[in-house]
């Protein structure tokens, strides 16, 4: 049984990283964003500081359920989406959807064995400033139609 779960965005990255880390790790892909503003309404509470109202993206419920099941079987969850504000938002949405208590955020700037192993030695928390930047951009895009 794997003691750690690593969640990345891409299935291709998941397969590659699995080869680099081997036993003791299970790697799964979120296949991009798992939550977004609803498509059927504004999804932004204008009366409550523009609070976004996120919903699970169509087709992502099974992905989240699979990840949640695996997360319950391991000791540690590492969130490793891309190293940008979108990746930070994905990590945060996964944390919220799965009600993860203490996930660790790891950042790979390249998918090489050395870079992945080095990143695993230096986990951090989700960067709230990056996540909030993505959220602000998403809300503005919704309100102004960009």
């Amino acid at each position: 049984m794997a003691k750690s779960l690593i969640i990345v965005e891409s299935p291709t990255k998941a397969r590659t990283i699995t080869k680099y880390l081997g036993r003791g790790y299970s790697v799964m892909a979120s296949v991009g964003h798992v939550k977004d503003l609803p498509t059927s309404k504004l999804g932004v509470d204008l009366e409550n500081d523009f609070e976004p109202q996120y919903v699970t993206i169509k087709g992502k419920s099974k992905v989240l359920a699979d990840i949640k099941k695996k997360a319950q079987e391991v000791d540690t969850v590492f969130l490793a989406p891309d190293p940008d504000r979108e990746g930070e938002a994905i990590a945060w949405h996964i944390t919220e959807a799965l009600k993860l208590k203490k996930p660790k955020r790891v950042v790979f700037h390249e998918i090489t064995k050395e870079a992945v192993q080095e990143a695993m030695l230096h986990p951090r928390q989700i960067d709230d400033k990056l996540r909030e930047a993505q959220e602000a951009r998403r809300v503005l895009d919704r309100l102004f139609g960009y």
Side-chain angles (χ1 to χ4, degrees), residues 8 10-21 27-29:
V8 297
S10 157
T12 302
K13 283 183 190 173
R15 286 189 294 276
T16 302
I17 292 168
T18 296
K19 292 177 197 172
Y20 294 160
L21 296 176
V27 187
M28 298 180 77

Side-chain angles (χ1 to χ4, degrees), residues 3-8 67 71-72 74-81 87-107 119-120 122-128 131:
K3 293 183 180 184
S4 296
L5 170 63
I6 303 168
I7 303 167
V8 297
I67 292 171
Q72 293 170 341
V74 299
D75 299 324
T76 307
V77 175
F78 292 92
L79 301 168
E88 220 64 29
I90 291 168
W92 183 76
H93 285 275
I94 291 170
T95 298
E96 294 292 308
L98 275 53
K99 297 177 177 53
L100 298 175
K101 298 292 185 226
K102 294 186 179 185
K104 297 176 188 253
R105 175 76 165 105
V106 291
V107 177
M120 295 302 294
H122 304 286
R124 62 170 171 81
Q125 295 181 349
I126 293 171
D127 184 331
D128 284 328
R131 182 202 50 89

Side-chain angles (χ1 to χ4, degrees), residues 16-82:
T16 302
I17 292 168
T18 296
K19 292 177 197 172
Y20 294 160
L21 296 176
R23 292 176 49 169
Y25 293 92
S26 180
V27 187
M28 298 180 77
S30 70
V31 194
H33 283 275
V34 295
K35 297 244 180 190
D36 196 7
L37 299 175
T39 57
S40 60
K41 62 180 185 174
L42 183 62
V44 178
D45 187 346
L46 302 176
E47 304 298 320
N48 188 21
D49 293 326
F50 301 95
E51 185 73 26
Q53 300 162 343
Y54 293 111
V55 297
T56 301
I57 295 171
K58 185 178 179 181
K60 295 295 179 122
S61 294
K62 182 176 181 345
V63 171
L64 284 171
D66 291 346
I67 292 171
K68 183 174 187 173
K69 182 179 178 187
K70 185 55 120 176
Q72 293 170 341
E73 299 172 1
V74 299
D75 299 324
T76 307
V77 175
F78 292 92
L79 301 168
D82 292 348

